[in-house]
Amino acid sequence: MSVNKLSTEESYKSLDKIETDLLRPMTHHKGFELWILFLILIFIVGGYAYFIQLRDGLGVTAMRDYSSWGMYIGNFVFFVAASLIGMFISSVLGLLKIKWITPITRIAEMIALAFAMWAGIVIVIDMGRPDRLLNVFLHGRFQSPILWDVTVVSTYVAISLLLLLLPLIPDAAIIRRRLPNLPKWQMKIYDLLYLGWEARPEQYRIIKKAMRILAILIIPVALAIHTVTSWLFAATLRAGWDSAIFGPYFVSGAFVAGVAAVIIAMYFFRYNYKLSDYITDFHFNRMGQVLVLVSAIYIYFNLNEYFVPAYKMRTAEKLHLDEMFTGHWAILYWFTQIACLAIPSFLLIFKRMRRPFTMLWLSVLVLIGAWLKRFLIVVPVQQHPYLPIQNVPESFHHYIPTGIEITLTILPFAGVLLIITIIAKLFPVISVWEIAHEKGVDESIIK
Amino acid sequence: MEEAKNLSNSSQQEENNARRGFLKKLGLVVGAGAAMTAGAVYLGYDHEQKKNPDGKKVRVLTADGQLMEVSEAELIEAANQGTNEESELQRRGREGLPGKHWVMVIDLSKCRNARMCMAACQGAHHLRPEQHHINVLRMQDAENTEPYFMPKPCYHCDNPPCTKVCPVDATFKRQDGIVLIDNQRCIGCRFCIAACPYSARVFNWIEPLKSEEDKDIPYDVELNVPQRKGTISKCLFSADCLRKGELPYCTRACPNGVYYFGDLNEDTVTNGTTRETVRFSELIRKNGGYTVLEELGTKPQVYYLPPKNRLFPYQYEGKTTIDPEDSRVGGGRG
Ligand code: SF4
Ligand code: SF4
């Protein structure tokens, strides 16, 4: 895309329009308080559920000695998966010099940061002794994949935060100029963040270089978080988890979940924040294509993961696969694989389907499937250990999540939405200066 | 002897650096002096004597029973270390019995599902009825083979996948081969349950059975009592009994002579019922002993003698066959 430089006068006019459009949602946000109230309500209910779990022990969940990892771990894997999208959009597509991503990079990074931060909390919810969290640092053993996970997830959160904050510097300067009447505490944030931005060429050089370095750095870290998370399973000897392709299988699945999440967010911001001039049909079309691409890769890995063992039907694998294909989990399994993966990605091949509204619903399906898939990866395998499950109560044979578990699974989602809501309230969800750049506005006036 | 030397000649302290390094790792228990009466426990002997030349000297009893004199400033108080007794139990529990390599042999031809082992075990470790350190399973290897009973403790694998994954070293393998749990350190992540291919581990999902009665007992890693909510438990090869020179609880409780227990280094195992001691290697060789799922590379230290020439036919709840739902065909012998 070649950028036509605008004249000074046109530049001012164009920048003014961009600023007005993109900053408006920060001051005009109908129902904002109600929405926050709703989220707080979920927090209160969730907090109470967690209190009960702390008081009575993990026995309030459906987890027992055999299915000892349940929804919480599935949720954790999902959160880590969804957080990969920041790296995918800003780094992979960004470094490939794909220009159309400009209006959606910040949305992707917000989602990434929120999910990554909450992933850490989700895993604490699953701990039997959260009061001993510090033991991980006091007595940490580096042989354990959990330590690797702690290391890479916190690194990822740090880099994602920087990747979100850096492009906010020029925007903070713009906000200071355009919205001087915001509350004092809010202005303080921009004062801190704008770092004396004056749109000097030197400053552009530094910020672009820093963003590029981060974009490169984040790739191996992002790959690591999900690969290591997959190793929590692949590093065991259990039939169904003991798989050599779990790393790429999880990573490719993560992109599917993340792209779907971004499409949903794009839809929401486009209509609620009235940004249809910026997040256009063209962007939806492109994201639809991306979803088809990542789904195709994921389907390929699914084929490897299920078809190859199913061809051989080794005793231990057979028990697990039978339950998945035709047994207890069959309905959920086929719903996930067909309705939530195969059908949406097939439909999106057609241009007619790549319209905002249809894509919204297909993405919702894909995202639900992505969550269910994590559940199906975590839970059923444990119900078929090598030695039979005997002499234990009936509840040890099954896993049906309890109300507390469901509440504490919803809670982190409310947390993610809260983080996104706050970021979207404090900052424009589309990078003002980068859009202005793209439109050919004279660089030196973007401050 | 050594003790006396340390005491009488405190100027020789400089020469004891090597031991101090060792003590530093283990932590110091203050023995003599006022601190003792207060029952305080100190940890982390910092060798900074040169920096505090005029610090007050106190005598301390190290965890391995040595008396030493150190300057007071070098002692750092450690929080939540419980009593002296507890830290001594921790120390010896983690160290194990030198020179031993414990093994168990289970003779499947004699097991008739009496479950005395299970009862004795649950009693000793204060377990709930559904928590099994040892579980007698109903097994059938293939469709047309005879079902049999198989007691399954923890196999105290020589290459234990469970200890590898523990993030905090709360489950560990000692020099005598026993895999233990430290429920004062366990964070309840249950990664070890996921990693154990033999389903040998149990979790305290709710308040343990006797948590009220046990709350003042000092924690013994070798018995894993008191049990704690939110932490792991499993078979410990009755490490507390072995320390006293006794056979494990299950081994002694069996009325049918199923269990042999002993030391691989001595190549002897003793039957818990008959008290007959035999050569381990010979017992295995003559009876075709094997380990379960050895292709996983875990190197179990519990051996089985096959269920042949049985004194009685398989019978469970009046049936001589197994419901395939109950015991999956093709388990057991791998
Ligand atoms: S049987 Fe399971 S718990 Fe016991 S040592 Fe082996 S892997 Fe660990
Ligand atoms: S549950 Fe406890 S013993 Fe098991 S791996 Fe986690 S911290 Fe270690």
Side-chain angles (χ1 to χ4, degrees), chain B residues 153-157 160-163 179 195-201 234 298:
Chain B
C154 160
Y155 292 154
H156 295 274
C157 307
C162 55
T163 62
V179 174
C196 170
Y198 305 111
S199 312
R201 293 176 164 252
K234 72 162 189 70
T298 50

Side-chain angles (χ1 to χ4, degrees), chain A residues 424-446:
Chain A
K425 177 75 187 164
L426 293 178
F427 303 101
V429 293
I430 297 177
S431 177
V432 178
W433 66 282
E434 284 169 293
I435 291 287
H437 246 210
E438 213 168 62
K439 300 251 153 107
V441 173
D442 180 1
E443 282 198 347
S444 61
I445 66 164
I446 309 174

